[in-house]
Amino acid sequence: MKGFRAILIFLSPLFIAWVSLFLGAYGVTPTMVIKILLNETLHIFDIGDIPERAIIIDIRLPRVILAGLVGGALSCAGVTLQGIFRNPLVDPFILGISAGAAFGCAITIGFLSFLPLQLTAFVFAIVAVMIAYGVARTQGEVSRLPLILSGVIVSAFFTAMVSIVKFLVDPHKLQSIVYWLMGSFSLADWGAVKIAGAGVLAGVFPIFLMRWRLNVMSMGEEEAKALGVNIKRERLLFIGFSTFAVAVATSLCGIIGWVGLMVPHLVRMLTGPDHKSLVPLSIAAGAAFMIAADTVSRTLTTFDIPVGIITALTGAPFFIYLMKRGGKEAWGR
């Protein structure tokens, strides 16, 4: 049964992506979508210069691919952080990584336009997670509740810093920052897909190769040290790669929360806690979830709803469910 579930999870991004391509304000039949894709890849059909081709290839397809890359990156970061901190309630949004990256992007848009968004997002995302980790670390250990509380504090701090930036910039840049902070794929193009592909691959692929070590680290510091694992070095590597992936994703589409919390937890409930399969399955499920959420955001009404609103509406109740279900065990010390 678990094998069948794993196959469905792996195939879900492809199916949802295909469905999302023919949904939208301008209706395109599923058959036409297949013909257009085959024409672009294998040159089987000669469909000519029809408007459906521009809609699929230039608008919807890059948006679907970008959503899948971002969802996979956020989910991979979530399952990684949950493993190394041994806490199912941890994700990049809660730990303050997203807020730190958002602050880096906001000051770049507002004042430092000569700097690349990805660089400033990564720098401040690293600063945010290190502050949260440092505040939560007491007597050589990082307990669950202090880690979550410190993440909330760091998120609040960087959110306040973003508000200061919004207060100081001119109205034109303010509009861009506000819309960007809501999280959206409405400006997706092939250039953004290339940046996301390179950045997400650089952050996610090393985690994929090292995913078996998460099984050891999730046993606890003493057990990991007894097995010869350099816990500090491994934790630093995992945090660095996760933060980079989240920073790239945030710089391209803004703050999108809850994906890294919900998706890995659901996959863990369906397939088990082994990170050798949990990491790739979480990446696939995160991509599928984000594509589905973005499809809902652009088809629910006549205008684009920021996808960050959709994920928050689903993520907040799920967080409450985890708290109620886990009780004291979920919160730890």
Side-chain angles (χ1 to χ4, degrees):
M1 179 61 72
K2 289 184 178 180
F4 179 71
R5 292 174 180 172
I7 293 173
L8 288 180
I9 293 172
F10 274 125
L11 295 178
S12 61
L14 296 176
F15 175 74
I16 296 177
W18 175 67
V19 172
S20 67
L21 287 176
F22 59 80
L23 294 178
Y26 188 98
V28 181
T29 64
T31 304
M32 180 57 69
V33 170
I34 295 175
K35 286 183 177 180
I36 292 172
L37 295 178
L38 291 177
N39 177 70
E40 292 297 318
T41 55
L42 303 176
H43 306 288
I44 294 177
F45 297 98
D46 184 14
I47 59 175
D49 190 16
I50 58 176
E52 287 86 350
R53 179 195 173 278
I55 292 172
I56 297 299
I57 300 301
D58 298 330
I59 300 176
R60 292 183 187 174
L61 187 57
R63 180 165 180 163
V64 166
I65 296 176
L66 182 61
L69 289 171
V70 170
L74 295 177
S75 184
C76 180
V79 71
T80 302
L81 295 174
Q82 289 171 11
I84 62 177
F85 291 123
R86 303 172 61 203
N87 191 337
L89 300 180
V90 169
D91 85 328
F93 183 73
I94 294 175
L95 278 185
I97 298 177
S98 297
F103 174 67
C105 293
I107 61 173
T108 301
I109 294 173
F111 307 110
L112 306 174
S113 57
F114 57 90
L115 290 177
L117 280 174
Q118 290 74 28
L119 175 62
T120 53
F122 176 66
V123 169
F124 283 99
I126 284 287
V127 170
V129 72
M130 289 305 176
I131 293 175
Y133 181 76
V135 171
R137 188 176 181 86
T138 56
Q139 299 179 353
E141 296 183 357
V142 179
S143 300
R144 295 178 177 182
L145 182 57
L147 180 63
I148 294 174
L149 294 177
S150 63
V152 171
I153 294 169
V154 171
S155 293
F157 172 77
F158 279 106
T159 301
M161 295 298 291
V162 171
S163 298
I164 293 175
V165 173
K166 291 192 294 183
F167 180 77
L168 295 176
V169 298
D170 63 72
H172 297 291
K173 293 181 178 179
L174 173 62
Q175 184 178 9
S176 299
I177 293 174
V178 170
Y179 187 76
W180 175 84
L181 288 174
M182 294 181 185
S184 175
F185 296 104
S186 60
L187 300 178
D189 56 20
W190 288 111
V193 169
K194 292 178 181 178
I195 295 173
V200 169
L201 183 64
V204 169
F205 189 64
I207 295 175
F208 176 81
L209 295 178
M210 300 187 300
R211 65 191 186 281
W212 62 272
R213 302 183 190 181
L214 290 171
N215 288 334
V216 179
M217 297 183 68
S218 62
M219 298 169 61
E221 291 195 18
E222 296 300 325
E223 291 82 356
K225 290 178 181 178
L227 293 172
V229 175
N230 188 332
I231 194 74
K232 292 183 179 180
R233 184 190 66 189
E234 300 294 326
R235 184 174 286 166
L236 183 62
L237 285 173
F238 278 117
I239 291 176
F241 288 126
S242 301
T243 302
F244 182 76
V246 173
V248 171
T250 304
S251 67
L252 292 170
C253 61
I255 294 181
I256 299 176
W258 305 103
V259 179
L261 171 70
M262 290 188 296
V263 175
H265 200 84
L266 288 172
V267 175
R268 189 181 291 109
M269 292 168 60
L270 291 172
T271 63
D274 185 1
H275 286 86
K276 287 189 290 185
S277 58
L278 181 60
V279 170
L281 288 173
S282 295
I283 294 172
F289 174 78
M290 186 59 72
I291 295 171
D294 182 56
T295 303
V296 171
S297 72
R298 65 180 176 83
T299 59
L300 192 62
T301 62
T302 55
F303 54 88
D304 265 355
I305 300 174
V307 71
I309 296 175
I310 304 297
T311 59
L313 289 175
T314 56
F318 187 79
F319 189 79
I320 296 174
Y321 162 74
L322 287 186
M323 291 172 55
K324 295 293 185 181
R325 183 175 183 272
K328 294 182 179 179
E329 181 182 354
W331 286 106
R333 296 183 297 274

